[in-house]
Amino acid sequence: MNAALEREGPGLLLRDILRDDPQITAFAMVVRRVSPDILVLQGIDYDHGRVALRALRNKIDKDGGPHYPHVFTKRPNTGMPTGLDMDGDGRLGQSRDKQGFGRFAGQAGMAVLSRWPFDRQKMRDFSHVKWQDLPSASLPMSMDAPFPSFEAQKVQRLSSVGHWVLPVKLPHAPVLTLMTFHATPPVFDGPEDRNGHRNHDEILFWQKFLDGEFGPVPDDHFVLLGDANIDPVDGEGRKSAVNRLLADPRLQDPEPKRPGPVLQGPEQSGDPRLDTVAWPDDGPGHLRVQYLLPSSDLRVVNAGVHWPTPDTDVAAEASAAGPHRMVWVDIALPE
């Protein structure tokens, strides 16, 4: 789930958790209702001491939700200075001039909460990979020159937030490897379509990873999950990478759905039951942007999007937690 737990400045998320902010309370209730064994979050502010993450974990537990003795996070690329003009506007030091958009270091990072321990020694973080080092990278150009500059492309990381490969030690079972990320929105740029190219390549990274381009491929069961910030049918963006990923035979798309029937939006072609975010209709609208794709060897027992039917207290609670909805999949090891 993109938990929308990002604030305008450092320390404000912890403040709001301790104040029992209504949005955070609603989020904790959503976690309580879905009760996942492993919870992967995007859109959560990072702090070096992980104080806010542990406070959030304790709030979920206190509100009657699942207990997560194991938490994991790392510094994201958001808000990481580059010293260069990364968006071509001629100014330095702005939020868009960081390795990933951020008003401060660590804004809108990622985190994992789990009932079971992580194999931290085998965790791999690809957030440092340079964009230009991705095989078949689709780097933006303007006036037949690298955009915004050769110098900027030389230091630009691929990940706007991060790309992690994190094994989880299951009880009496093989390891389950989580592969997670949060791609940049393919909008908010100019005719060079810098964000569109980057979004495409952040998704493309996973196919290159599964092809062995970045070292050993997990030889155990794995799940690719995260916020790709793009719908395979509707909305803006370069859709080829996400559609190739959904069709990759090494993965399976259980197509988690919200309860139906659900009417299509005014400019929507895809199945609205697959949507995972409720952005305004006069903006991007309702789209499928969050994905949970188990490896093809795992058995999918059930799947869904926690999007309760309207006019209920539970629906109001899910809406109060933020625009995104929690996507869940129950999986079992093959017999």
Side-chain angles (χ1 to χ4, degrees):
M1 180 180 183
N2 184 329
L5 294 175
E6 56 186 272
R7 297 299 186 260
E8 295 297 315
L12 298 184
L13 176 59
L14 177 61
R15 177 203 66 182
D16 288 350
I17 294 170
L18 299 177
R19 284 182 176 181
D20 290 328
D21 175 87
Q23 183 233 343
I24 296 173
T25 298
F27 165 77
M29 291 300 296
V30 168
V31 177
R32 177 182 180 181
R33 294 187 187 282
V34 180
S35 192
D37 296 310
I38 302 171
L39 175 61
V40 180
L41 301 176
Q42 292 81 37
I44 177 170
D45 291 341
Y46 169 87
D47 63 82
H48 181 69
R50 298 158 178 78
V51 179
L53 180 59
R54 290 191 173 94
L56 181 68
R57 182 265 310 274
N58 294 340
K59 179 173 178 58
I60 292 169
D61 190 7
K62 185 182 74 172
D63 284 351
H67 176 58
Y68 297 114
H70 308 282
V71 299
F72 181 88
T73 189
K74 292 193 72 173
R75 179 179 175 175
N77 287 339
T78 53
M80 186 179 292
T82 64
L84 298 172
D85 175 13
M86 303 300 285
D87 64 349
D89 68 353
R91 296 182 294 172
L92 300 177
Q94 306 298 306
S95 297
R96 300 184 192 280
D97 296 321
K98 310 299 175 63
Q99 286 289 1
F101 179 91
R103 298 175 180 85
F104 60 92
Q107 185 181 31
M110 304 191 301
V112 184
L113 295 82
S114 174
R115 296 183 189 269
W116 304 302
F118 308 110
D119 190 341
R120 298 174 186 268
Q121 296 300 315
K122 294 184 178 179
M123 185 270 172
R124 287 185 282 171
D125 184 0
F126 295 97
S127 308
H128 63 281
V129 171
K130 298 293 195 308
W131 187 356
Q132 66 179 9
D133 292 338
L134 177 76
S136 306
S138 176
L139 295 162
M141 303 287 290
S142 180
M143 305 289 289
D144 295 323
F147 180 89
S149 66
F150 172 80
E151 292 77 15
Q153 287 197 1
K154 188 175 180 180
V155 304
Q156 177 67 76
R157 295 181 174 189
L158 171 65
S159 305
S160 53
V161 181
H163 283 77
W164 299 345
V165 177
L166 178 63
V168 179
K169 299 176 181 179
L170 302 181
H172 311 296
V175 166
L176 178 70
T177 299
L178 308 177
M179 303 172 359
T180 191
F181 73 119
H182 187 180
T184 193
V187 290
F188 310 124
D189 53 16
E192 76 288 337
D193 195 24
R194 174 178 179 261
N195 291 340
H197 284 281
R198 191 178 188 184
N199 173 277
H200 173 278
D201 282 3
E202 287 187 86
I203 298 167
L204 177 64
F205 169 85
W206 291 117
Q207 285 199 292
K208 299 299 183 181
F209 173 76
L210 291 174
D211 289 342
E213 299 278 1
F214 290 92
V217 177
D219 55 5
D220 47 25
H221 313 300
F222 58 87
V223 180
L224 172 57
L225 68 173
D227 189 341
N229 251 321
I230 191 169
D231 187 293
V233 179
D234 298 309
E236 298 187 51
R238 298 171 176 265
K239 302 183 182 300
S240 59
V242 70
N243 278 298
R244 286 200 303 270
L245 196 67
L246 292 174
D248 193 308
R250 295 166 292 193
L251 300 164
Q252 54 182 316
D253 180 11
E255 295 191 331
K257 294 181 176 66
R258 60 187 285 193
V262 183
L263 296 177
Q264 282 187 331
E267 298 184 6
Q268 192 172 34
S269 300
D271 185 348
R273 295 175 299 167
L274 295 172
D275 293 339
T276 66
V277 63
W279 283 316
D281 288 337
D282 59 355
H286 292 190
L287 298 171
R288 184 189 188 191
V289 298
Q290 296 172 122
Y291 298 88
L292 211 166
L293 310 175
S295 55
S296 57
D297 60 323
L298 290 169
R299 181 166 59 90
V300 173
V301 178
N302 205 353
V305 178
H306 181 71
W307 197 323
T309 53
D311 304 323
T312 65
D313 292 341
V314 180
E317 174 186 278
S319 180
H324 296 269
R325 302 295 186 263
M326 185 175 289
V327 182
W328 59 268
V329 173
D330 285 341
I331 56 176
L333 299 177
E335 298 178 355

